[in-house]
Amino acid sequence: MRPHIILVGFMGTGKSTVAACLADRLGWARVDLDTCIETAEGQSIPAIFAEKGEAYFRQAETDALARELADGDSKIIATGGGAVLAERNRTLMLDNGLVVALTADEQTIIRRVCNDPNRPLLQGNAEQTVPELLARRRTAYDFAHLRIDTSDKTVEQIAEQIIGYYSQPPKQ
Ligand code: S3P
């Protein structure tokens, strides 16, 4: 099996949009981990957080990640912004694919996520919650093989860069 392409990054860095473009370009299947969790649990992400709590959500996230990585042909996997927090998840990702971290500057993220009711960790004032959470996760995405700042790039440019790296990773 060829490895998967796994997109990690803070909320609002463009993981789902880039995943869709990559899947189109490569003709691979695309999986959104949050959607997998919602299907497995039969509940929306905000409802899981509200009724079962974040720890329960994180376990469901690890289970969904392990399932998707173990299953079948190469695919594009867009993870949720906190999927990188558990060491087990980081190991699973590094062992099973090319891990690409998407980043964006603070103002771009705030613009993209403000008023989104589907992100339980950003409820309230995004101008305040985004910088706080970004600071807490400052180094959380550093384990990735490749890091791309999406702030000033088109989706096509980002997909191109990822496909180029996947086909010809730099020699260590
Ligand atoms: C989370 C990010 C969300 C979702 C959940 C928790 C996080 O996914 O998994 O709300 O901890 O950063 P997106 O990054 O797709 O918004």
Side-chain angles (χ1 to χ4, degrees), residues 63-75:
D63 295 345
L65 178 67
R67 263 196 317 274
E68 289 305 325
L69 288 171
D71 172 51
D73 293 333
S74 294
K75 60 184 121 161

Side-chain angles (χ1 to χ4, degrees), residues 11 15 34 45 49 57-58 61 80-82 119-121 137:
M11 292 170 268
K15 295 168 301 224
D34 282 346
I45 302 289
F49 268 78
F57 171 81
R58 295 297 171 203
E61 187 171 50
R119 290 184 162 114
L121 295 182
R137 294 188 180 170

